Amino acid sequence: MESQAAKIILQIFVMFAAAKILAIVAERARVPGVIAEILAGILIGPEVLKLVALQDWTTALAAIGAIILLFDVGLDQKLTTLLRVGWTALLVALLGVVLPFFLGYGLLRLADHSQTEAIFVGAAMVATSVGITARVLQDLGALQSVVATVILGAAVIDDILGMVVLAIVSSLSEGRVDWVEIGSVAGLAVGFTIFIVLVGRRVIRRLAPRVARFAPTNPYFVLALTICLGLSVAAEKIGMAAIIGAFLAGMVFSEEEIGPMLKEKMHSVHEFLVPFFFVAMGMQMKLSVFVQREILVLAVVVTVLAILGKLVGCGLGAYGLGWRSALQVGVGMVPRGEVGIIVASVGLGLHTISDGLYAVVIVM
């Protein structure tokens, strides 16, 4: 008789193989790999082929994948980049968060959804995908342009604001809006972020040489993963999402000499674990919701507003660069990815958004 461990290993194999096979197909079709991984989850999940069931271990594996993903993203975000692009990037980021949020929030309220559902959908619309934007700019050979610097700097601020917004909406699991609680969570999130960014680098610079002296092979890599998981736990303990701690851990290491080495070593870990997060997200999508005409219409409208929110908001923020550059910045800030999916998964896990709204966010 097949053991439980053997069944789990088989299902892990199915999840990983499906994600990678479809990712290869997607790459040849010039489609982002994240879409392929979500599609893989839909196909092998309980809605279609029923090869893998949603269980506690799939949720845990997805959570680890999300932590690794945000740590890896954090390794690409340098604090000096924020300072170099200055107020233009800050204005682009702020308008690029505020406008999409209120467009999503307003739409859901007009559609008679609850205030909590409206906040979650608005939050899912705020964060630009730094990974997608950086990859496109790199492929275009445009990373050194002023527009690219503003886009990437704004995207970094955008991601931090997205993490704070996620921390806030994660407190809404009871389906009500407690402004005192939201204020305290926001203050705690900002304080935690500032403390880690300012103090974390000093701690790492003192700790790393000592670890290297006593630790075995790859001491810095072991230290980085330990701090990543430790800050993830700390973030959870103070009421924030674990991925916020992972993201900040990545930022702490991003400007250290060991940063490039960590990035290289994280590649294999990323390639193995991150697909499980997106596959698990696909497994949670219920295709039956698309039978409802209103869900399809809502998905289209949310997607259009998500595009316009960034195009207009970020474009206005960069208008001082000239209308052509402002339009390029607006377009560059449009891509959505990891953070929006994470917000949607948090809302679904807390039972504060419906399967239909989860599907809407995935489509967006």
Side-chain angles (χ1 to χ4, degrees), residues 40-61:
I42 295 172
L43 290 175
I44 67 174
E47 288 285 301
V48 183
L49 298 177
K50 299 179 173 61
L51 297 177
V52 182
L54 285 167
Q55 300 176 61
D56 288 342
W57 69 263
T58 57
T59 303
L61 193 57

Side-chain angles (χ1 to χ4, degrees), residues 74-94:
L75 284 173
D76 285 323
Q77 316 309 321
K78 298 182 183 297
L79 192 59
T80 51
T81 302
L82 303 183
L83 300 176
R84 187 168 65 247
V85 294
W87 293 106
T88 299
L90 179 60
L91 186 58
V92 168
L94 288 174

Side-chain angles (χ1 to χ4, degrees), residues 305-363:
L305 290 180
I307 293 171
L308 290 177
K310 288 290 185 181
L311 195 60
V312 175
C314 298
L316 286 175
Y319 192 71
L321 300 176
W323 72 267
R324 183 180 178 85
S325 294
L327 182 60
Q328 291 173 334
V329 169
V331 172
M333 294 293 289
V334 165
R336 306 302 207 283
E338 310 85 11
V339 175
I341 295 172
I342 289 170
V343 171
S345 66
V346 169
L348 189 66
L350 295 174
H351 307 292
T352 52
I353 66 170
S354 64
D355 293 320
L357 287 181
Y358 177 78
V360 165
V361 173
I362 294 295
V363 170

Side-chain angles (χ1 to χ4, degrees), residues 18-334:
K20 290 304 179 182
I21 290 171
L22 287 186
I24 292 172
V25 175
E27 184 178 355
R28 296 195 174 189
R30 302 180 67 84
V31 174
V34 62
I35 295 178
E37 290 164 2
I38 292 172
L39 180 60
I42 295 172
L43 290 175
I44 67 174
E47 288 285 301
V48 183
L49 298 177
K50 299 179 173 61
L51 297 177
V52 182
L54 285 167
Q55 300 176 61
D56 288 342
W57 69 263
T58 57
T59 303
L61 193 57
I64 295 172
I67 286 171
I68 295 300
L69 170 64
L70 269 296
F71 178 70
D72 196 36
V73 169
L75 284 173
D76 285 323
Q77 316 309 321
K78 298 182 183 297
L79 192 59
T80 51
T81 302
L82 303 183
L83 300 176
R84 187 168 65 247
V85 294
W87 293 106
T88 299
L90 179 60
L91 186 58
V92 168
L94 288 174
L95 291 178
V97 166
V98 171
L99 189 57
F101 176 83
F102 281 105
L103 286 174
Y105 175 84
L107 174 66
L108 268 290
R109 292 299 285 161
L110 287 174
D112 292 326
H113 287 270
S114 71
Q115 193 167 36
T116 303
E117 287 182 322
I119 289 173
F120 263 95
V121 172
M125 292 170 65
V126 304
T128 294
S129 174
V130 179
I132 293 173
T133 301
R135 174 62 182 274
V136 171
L137 290 170
Q138 186 179 49
D139 290 346
L140 291 172
L143 280 175
Q144 304 305 316
S145 67
V146 173
V147 168
T149 303
V150 171
I151 289 173
L152 292 177
V156 172
I157 302 171
D158 186 291
D159 256 10
I160 294 174
L161 292 175
M163 295 295 98
V164 173
V165 170
L166 177 57
I168 294 171
V169 298
S170 296
S171 71
L172 303 178
S173 57
E174 297 180 5
R176 60 185 177 85
V177 179
D178 185 336
W179 294 108
V180 174
E181 182 182 2
I182 288 177
S184 64
V185 170
L188 197 59
V190 172
F192 183 74
T193 300
I194 294 174
F195 177 80
I196 296 301
V197 169
L198 295 182
V199 179
R201 292 177 64 191
R202 297 179 184 177
V203 173
I204 294 301
R205 287 177 178 176
R206 292 187 179 184
L207 188 61
R210 298 179 183 179
V211 171
R213 199 177 306 153
F214 298 104
T217 310
N218 296 324
Y220 296 127
F221 185 58
V222 173
L223 175 65
L225 286 181
T226 302
I227 290 177
C228 170
L229 294 174
L231 288 183
S232 298
V233 172
E236 283 275 6
K237 291 294 184 182
I238 63 174
M240 300 167 67
I243 56 170
I244 299 175
F247 179 77
L248 293 175
M251 284 194 69
V252 166
F253 283 100
S254 65
E255 295 195 58
E256 301 303 311
E257 292 183 4
I258 59 175
M261 179 272 290
L262 290 177
K263 186 70 180 175
E264 182 181 348
K265 289 187 176 297
M266 281 300 299
H267 178 73
S268 298
V269 180
H270 181 286
E271 285 293 305
F272 177 61
L273 288 175
V274 172
F276 291 111
F277 169 67
F278 293 107
V279 171
M281 295 306 97
M283 289 169 59
Q284 293 183 57
M285 183 184 288
K286 294 189 176 180
L287 299 180
S288 57
V289 300
F290 289 113
V291 176
Q292 305 171 44
R293 181 175 175 273
E294 60 270 24
I295 294 296
L296 283 174
V297 172
L298 186 61
V300 172
V301 176
V302 165
T303 301
V304 170
L305 290 180
I307 293 171
L308 290 177
K310 288 290 185 181
L311 195 60
V312 175
C314 298
L316 286 175
Y319 192 71
L321 300 176
W323 72 267
R324 183 180 178 85
S325 294
L327 182 60
Q328 291 173 334
V329 169
V331 172
M333 294 293 289
V334 165

